[in-house]
């Protein structure tokens, strides 16, 4: 629902920059519709092509998934668009100068799923089965679940990835449940969701990040804040603080998920080794109190604001994340991080 005050100071057309992939367009379209409802303004999708969209090289060789964000952010800073929508898991944890994550809408399903032709569980795939994924975290998790399978690099859109299973080129692939849901994909293959406690996913997986310039019009910043979900913001800040605290890039073999339930939070974090016996893991239960919209303000490292400014922010999300990161490092996590420390 819009009001005259929230719409004042906004352009007639708000430009939302997005990658041109089907998933990026679907995610951006979701935010665009919500922003139109809040502002009463039309939101136009502006397609921006990144290096990651035009090369077939593996993500690891390109320096990780942050390659998708660089060109988008350049376009935002250059004034080619007014805001961006990212998959938060793809963003570096370090703040981007001049930019702010103004909203993290309610999180979608954060689980990974295994896609197969016949519903065979990952653990039951016969030796030599071909499993597709390009993520070091997923590679380590797949090998821990079934050491006998062969890992094959996986690029392309969701349809082309699933086609490699359907056509028999691969026996299984690993995808994010959130992407499948947002695409509304009609899946004629078997989907096996993985439990987040046993198989924690990337920090911020399932979360969309709505980014704009730090000097954006106050009316736009206020409109975007109305899309923010405080519980999602708190959880992702804990996860991303852990990732930053152990100096791991978003492409490192780290799985972390914060489960919020009332006034408590459970955090599962795994720093995965090539040998499953090397994995450093922690499973924490923390009393956090009630999270309100006011109490969530200031939590995000991406906003550049001080956590101490957040009313009722005790304990702070960043404090929890730093403490868990400290424990992981004390247990030897730094020796297992093979990915780049920054993206």
């Amino acid at each position: 629902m819009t009001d005259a005050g929230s719409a004042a100071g906004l352009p007639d057309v708000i430009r939302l920059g997005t990658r041109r992939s089907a998933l990026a367009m679907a995610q951006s379209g979701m935010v665009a519709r919500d922003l139109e409802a809040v502002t009463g303004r039309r939101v136009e999708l502006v397609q921006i092509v990144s290096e990651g969209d035009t090369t077939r090289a593996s993500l690891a060789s390109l320096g990780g998934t942050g390659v998708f964000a660089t060109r988008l952010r350049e376009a935002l800073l250059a004034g080619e668009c007014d805001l961006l929508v990212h998959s938060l898991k793809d963003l570096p944890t370090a703040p981007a100068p001049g930019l702010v994550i103004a909203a993290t809408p309610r999180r979608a399903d954060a689980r990974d799923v295994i896609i197969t032709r016949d519903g065979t569980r990952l653990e039951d795939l016969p030796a030599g089965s071909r499993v597709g994924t390009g993520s070091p975290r997923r590679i380590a998790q797949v090998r821990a679940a079934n050491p006998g399978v062969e890992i094959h690099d996986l690029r392309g859109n969701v349809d082309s990835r699933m086609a490699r299973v359907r056509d028999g080129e691969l026996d299984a692939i690993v995808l994010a449940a959130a992407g499948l849901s947002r695409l509304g994909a009609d899946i004629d293959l078997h989907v096996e969701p993985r439990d987040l406690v046993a198989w924690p996913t990337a920090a911020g997986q399932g979360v969309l990040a709505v980014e704009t310039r730090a000097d954006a019009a106050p009316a736009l910043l206020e409109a975007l804040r109305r899309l923010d979900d405080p519980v999602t913001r708190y959880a992702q800040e804990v996860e991303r603080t852990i990732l930053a605290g152990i100096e791991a890039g978003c492409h490192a073999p780290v799985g972390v998920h914060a489960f919020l339930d009332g006034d408590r939070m459970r955090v599962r974090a795994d720093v995965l080794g090539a040998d499953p016996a090397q994995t450093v893991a922690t499973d924490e239960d923390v009393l956090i109190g009630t999270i309100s919209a006011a109490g969530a303000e200031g939590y995000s490292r991406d906003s550049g604001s001080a956590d101490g400014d957040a009313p009722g922010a005790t304990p702070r999300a960043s404090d929890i994340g730093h403490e868990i990161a400290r424990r992981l490092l004390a247990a030897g996590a730094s020796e297992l991080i093979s990915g780049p420390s920054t993206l």
Side-chain angles (χ1 to χ4, degrees), residues 122-203:
L122 174 61
E123 287 82 354
D124 298 331
L125 287 171
S129 295
R130 296 154 297 181
V131 178
T133 179
S135 157
R137 169 187 62 81
R138 288 170 173 164
I139 290 171
Q141 289 172 320
V142 167
R143 285 178 171 156
N146 188 334
V149 300
E150 298 176 359
I151 306 296
H152 292 256
D153 190 54
L154 190 65
R155 289 293 311 275
N157 60 36
V158 170
D159 286 340
S160 67
R161 294 182 188 202
M162 290 197 296
R164 294 179 68 182
V165 176
R166 192 178 296 111
D167 298 343
E169 181 182 346
L170 296 173
D171 299 297
I173 57 173
V174 189
L175 297 177
L180 293 177
S181 174
R182 288 170 177 150
L183 279 171
D186 184 14
I187 303 174
D188 57 353
L189 298 166
H190 291 266
V191 180
E192 176 204 342
R194 304 300 291 186
D195 179 77
L196 281 168
V197 174
W199 185 293
T201 52

Side-chain angles (χ1 to χ4, degrees), residues 296-339:
E297 290 178 4
Y299 278 37
S300 179
R301 69 182 54 258
D302 304 294
S303 70
S305 56
D307 286 343
D309 295 337
T314 306
R316 297 177 299 181
S318 61
D319 287 346
I320 296 170
H322 283 304
E323 175 59 20
I324 293 174
R326 184 192 67 77
R327 295 178 189 178
L328 288 168
L329 290 172
S334 61
E335 299 175 7
L336 301 177
I337 299 168
S338 58

Side-chain angles (χ1 to χ4, degrees), residues 3-312:
D3 59 64
S6 65
L10 290 171
D12 291 337
V13 178
I14 300 171
R15 301 164 300 160
L16 193 164
T18 177
R19 291 173 56 204
R20 64 183 182 184
S21 72
L23 178 56
M25 293 288 287
Q27 293 177 161
S28 296
M30 292 168 55
V31 172
R33 290 190 294 272
D34 289 343
L35 188 56
E36 287 175 339
V38 165
T39 64
R41 297 292 198 261
R42 183 167 70 87
V43 178
E44 174 185 77
L45 298 186
V46 178
Q47 295 186 31
I48 299 166
V49 179
S50 71
E51 180 186 2
D53 295 310
T54 57
T55 180
R56 301 303 300 173
S58 69
L59 290 178
S61 69
L62 293 173
T65 47
V67 69
F68 293 121
T70 301
R71 172 67 187 105
L72 292 167
R73 285 174 158 175
E74 290 172 350
L76 179 58
L77 289 168
E80 297 174 32
C81 55
D82 303 305
L83 67 148
L84 303 170
V85 173
H86 307 277
S87 293
L88 182 61
K89 69 182 179 65
D90 293 345
L91 291 184
T93 54
L99 301 179
V100 59
I101 302 296
T104 50
R106 186 175 180 179
R107 189 176 210 160
D109 190 341
R111 294 176 296 178
D112 277 346
V113 296
I114 309 297
I115 307 290
T116 59
R117 287 184 298 280
D118 60 5
T120 302
R121 294 177 67 249
L122 174 61
E123 287 82 354
D124 298 331
L125 287 171
S129 295
R130 296 154 297 181
V131 178
T133 179
S135 157
R137 169 187 62 81
R138 288 170 173 164
I139 290 171
Q141 289 172 320
V142 167
R143 285 178 171 156
N146 188 334
V149 300
E150 298 176 359
I151 306 296
H152 292 256
D153 190 54
L154 190 65
R155 289 293 311 275
N157 60 36
V158 170
D159 286 340
S160 67
R161 294 182 188 202
M162 290 197 296
R164 294 179 68 182
V165 176
R166 192 178 296 111
D167 298 343
E169 181 182 346
L170 296 173
D171 299 297
I173 57 173
V174 189
L175 297 177
L180 293 177
S181 174
R182 288 170 177 150
L183 279 171
D186 184 14
I187 303 174
D188 57 353
L189 298 166
H190 291 266
V191 180
E192 176 204 342
R194 304 300 291 186
D195 179 77
L196 281 168
V197 174
W199 185 293
T201 52
Q205 183 158 313
V207 179
L208 297 180
V210 185
E211 188 172 47
T212 190
R213 292 184 297 278
D215 62 355
L220 178 59
L221 291 170
E222 174 57 29
L224 294 178
R225 274 194 288 269
R226 294 174 65 182
L227 305 183
D228 193 63
D229 178 64
V231 170
T232 296
R233 180 171 286 272
Y234 193 104
Q236 63 83 20
E237 174 65 3
V238 171
E239 294 167 12
R240 283 165 62 77
T241 299
I242 293 169
L243 199 65
I246 62 175
E247 298 185 346
C250 58
H251 207 57
V254 179
V256 56
H257 189 77
F259 307 80
L260 276 74
D261 184 9
D263 62 355
R264 305 201 71 86
M265 177 176 63
R266 179 181 183 182
V267 182
R268 174 61 189 249
D270 291 359
V271 182
L272 299 138
D275 180 345
Q278 297 175 309
T279 293
V280 174
T282 186
D283 197 338
E284 308 281 343
D285 183 77
V286 185
L287 178 65
I288 58 173
T290 302
I291 299 174
S292 65
E297 290 178 4
Y299 278 37
S300 179
R301 69 182 54 258
D302 304 294
S303 70
S305 56
D307 286 343
D309 295 337

